[in-house]
Amino acid sequence: MALAIAGGTPLRTRPFPAWPEYGKPEEEALLSVLHSRSWGGYHESVKELERRFAALHEVQHAVACSNGTVAVEVALRSVGVGPGDEVIVPPFTFVASASAILLTGATPVFADIDAATFNLSVQAAEAAITPRTKAIVVVHFGGRPAEMDAFRCLADQHGLKLIEDAAHAHGARWMGTPVGAWGDVATFSFQAFKLMTAGEGGIIISKHADVADRCWAYCNQGRRRNGGWFEHYTLGTNYRLSAFQAAVLNAQLDRLEQQTRTRAANVAYLRQQLETVPGLYLPPDDPHASQQPYYLLTFWYDSAAFDGLPRDQFIAAIQAEGIPMKPTYPHPLYRNPIFPTSAHLQLPVVERICRDGIWLSHTALLGDRADIDDVVAGVRKVREHANDLIATAAK
Ligand SMILES: Cc1ncc(COP(=O)(O)O)c(C=O)c1O
C-alpha cells in the first residue's frame, strides 16, 4: 500500500488518547472551590496537594507555585545560588532548566548528556566543576530518572548543591527512592502537556525544612508561613498556585499511578515489537530506574537502516500515516542567543541526538496494544517505501 504522504491511505485515522484525561473528580473538585468563594492560593486544596505530592516523593515539604520555570528559579535561590556562581546543567532540556540559572544572576555551564540515557553524564558534569561551581541541575529527561546515587556522591564530594528538575518525572524512582528525595531540592511542572496538569502550575519539594521555608517565603512575597499578611521579612514575589489549579491537580494525582502503569506496559511491548524492525532504537532499560513515568520516549534514528532516508523525511512520512512522532529539540540549548558565553560549544552526544533523535509523547502510550501495533506498523511501512521517498525527493 502506498505511503499516505505519497497519496496513499493513512495506516491510522483513529486518534490516540486525548490529553489531559479528566472526569467527574475534576468537575466536582472545581465546583467545590467555586462554591467555597475562596479561590486563591491559601485554600485547603493547595495544602492538600502539597501534602500528597511530598508524601508521594517521600519528602516532608512541598511548595506549590505558578509553573515549572519559576520553580527552578526559586529552588536555585533557596540553596543560595546567585551572581558569581556557576551551575552545571545539561543542554538537552527545555530552556527553563538553564534560563532560571541566568535569572538568579549565576552562569549556566553546559555539560554533555549520556547517549544511553539522554540525561546529564556524571563524568561530563564532574569534568565541568571549577572553583566557582555552586550547584548541579540534574534533569530527569523524558521521565527517565538520572543516576542519582552517583550525582549525590559527586555533589557531596565537592560541596555542591543538587537540584532535580523533575518537570518530566512525576513519581519516578531511582534505586527505589523517588526523585526529589535525592537532591537538596526538586521541581516539577504541571504545564498543559505534563504528566499531571492544571494547564499551568508547578511545585517544589525538599527534605529540608529551611529550604522549603525559603521557597515558600519567596513565592509568598517574603511572608512567614504563620506570620502576618503585611509582614515581609525577606524579598519575595507572588508565584502562588490558585485553588482551582490545586483542585484539578489533586484529582490528576489520583490518576497518575494507573497512567504510569499503562505507559510502562505499552513501552515494554513497544520495545519487544521494535526488535523486529531495525532503525529505531530505544536506549536499554536500567533496572536502577525502578519507576519511569515515560513522559517522552526518545529514539535514536539510524537513517542507514532506512536506505539513507533523512530523519525529517521519515518523520513527515510517519506523521502522514497518523503516528505522532516528532523531531527532538532543533539544537542543543547552548545555541540559543540567551547563552552567548556557551555559543562555541559542540558537545558531541547532544549535537547528535538533536540531529538523529525522534520523540513519541506520553499520550501515544496511554492506549492499548493496538495503538502500539500501529506505531510499529507505521515504522515498518515507511521503511518499506524509504527508497521511493528518496527517489521522489531527488526529482
Ligand atoms: C525540563 C523542564 N523544566 C522546566 C520546565 C518549565 O515548566 P513550565 O512550562 O511549567 O514553566 C519544563 C517545561 O516544559 C521542562 O520541560
Side-chain angles (χ1 to χ4, degrees):
M1 205 196 292
L3 285 173
I5 202 166
T9 309
L11 190 128
R12 182 181 167 104
T13 47
R14 197 162 60 96
F16 281 91
W19 186 259
E21 291 181 350
Y22 70 89
K24 269 261 169 286
E26 281 82 359
E27 285 175 24
E28 282 168 6
L30 280 169
L31 281 175
S32 153
V33 173
L34 184 76
H35 296 150
S36 77
R37 295 182 194 274
S38 162
W39 299 349
Y42 286 80
H43 189 269
E44 181 51 37
S45 63
V46 178
K47 294 194 186 92
E48 183 187 340
L49 174 68
E50 290 174 340
R51 265 194 314 271
R52 293 182 63 202
F53 205 80
L56 176 69
H57 296 89
E58 297 177 12
V59 296
Q60 288 74 43
H61 312 281
V63 178
C65 61
S66 313
N67 55 62
T69 301
V70 300
V72 182
E73 182 195 337
V74 174
L76 288 161
R77 290 184 192 280
S78 76
V79 294
V81 170
D85 294 331
E86 290 178 356
V87 179
I88 296 167
V89 63
F92 190 63
T93 178
F94 183 63
V95 66
S97 313
S99 58
I101 299 169
L102 287 178
L103 287 167
T104 68
T107 306
V109 173
F110 293 99
D112 209 355
I113 55 168
D114 186 325
T117 65
F118 306 122
N119 283 325
L120 182 62
S121 146
V122 181
Q123 291 74 22
E126 184 164 23
I129 294 172
T130 75
R132 285 175 57 198
T133 308
K134 173 84 181 191
I136 304 174
V137 172
V138 169
V139 180
H140 303 297
F141 192 82
R144 182 177 179 128
E147 294 162 69
M148 291 315 295
D149 55 323
F151 278 113
R152 188 66 265 174
C153 269
L154 185 65
D156 290 346
Q157 265 168 18
H158 294 268
L160 306 177
K161 300 295 182 189
L162 188 57
I163 294 118
E164 299 178 61
D165 181 345
H168 301 178
H170 310 65
R173 285 172 183 257
W174 177 256
M175 297 171 81
T177 299
V179 300
W182 292 91
D184 295 282
V185 59
T187 64
F188 295 80
S189 164
F190 299 130
Q191 176 264 349
F193 304 122
K194 296 298 186 290
L195 298 170
M196 284 174 56
T197 184
E200 303 287 353
I203 201 164
I204 306 161
I205 66 172
S206 177
K207 53 190 175 223
H208 304 298
D210 58 334
V211 169
D213 283 348
R214 285 194 288 277
C215 291
W216 191 91
Y218 197 83
C219 293
N220 285 277
Q221 281 133 328
R223 296 187 183 106
R224 284 186 207 283
R225 272 187 209 269
N226 299 316
W229 187 255
F230 294 117
E231 301 300 325
H232 311 278
Y233 80 100
T234 180
L235 184 63
T237 182
N238 178 357
Y239 282 158
R240 284 193 296 279
L241 187 82
S242 82
F244 290 109
Q245 290 168 295
V248 171
L249 288 164
N250 278 313
Q252 293 272 296
L253 190 50
D254 291 333
R255 299 179 187 277
L256 181 67
E257 196 183 321
Q258 177 58 47
Q259 289 170 339
T260 301
R261 265 205 301 273
T262 302
R263 282 188 295 259
N266 278 329
V267 171
Y269 180 61
L270 176 59
R271 217 178 247 296
Q272 197 191 336
Q273 297 304 303
L274 276 180
E275 278 170 17
T276 61
V277 196
L280 214 54
Y281 303 106
L282 284 172
D285 255 340
D286 182 337
H288 293 118
S290 40
Q291 173 115 299
Q292 282 196 67
Y294 295 106
Y295 173 64
L296 264 181
L297 208 52
T298 307
F299 303 86
W300 284 105
Y301 174 74
D302 178 10
S303 74
F306 292 83
D307 298 321
L309 184 72
R311 176 195 66 170
D312 291 354
Q313 275 178 255
F314 168 84
I315 290 173
I318 201 159
Q319 282 181 352
E321 297 300 333
I323 310 300
M325 287 189 168
K326 292 190 175 151
T328 50
Y329 298 116
H331 45 65
L333 206 49
Y334 49 71
R335 203 131 298 137
N336 286 290
I338 57 168
F339 307 110
T341 55
S342 304
H344 62 284
L345 287 176
Q346 287 275 349
L347 302 176
V349 182
V350 68
E351 295 281 343
R352 199 149 56 83
I353 192 63
C354 290
R355 200 182 54 230
D356 297 338
I358 291 182
W359 279 332
L360 187 64
S361 110
H362 65 95
T363 58
L365 304 170
L366 273 179
D368 52 22
R369 283 192 167 197
D371 289 345
I372 304 301
D373 287 337
D374 284 346
V375 171
V376 178
V379 177
R380 199 172 272 127
K381 186 174 174 189
V382 178
R383 194 163 178 273
E384 277 162 12
H385 293 271
N387 259 323
D388 309 339
L389 277 176
I390 292 168
T392 314
K395 275 189 198 149

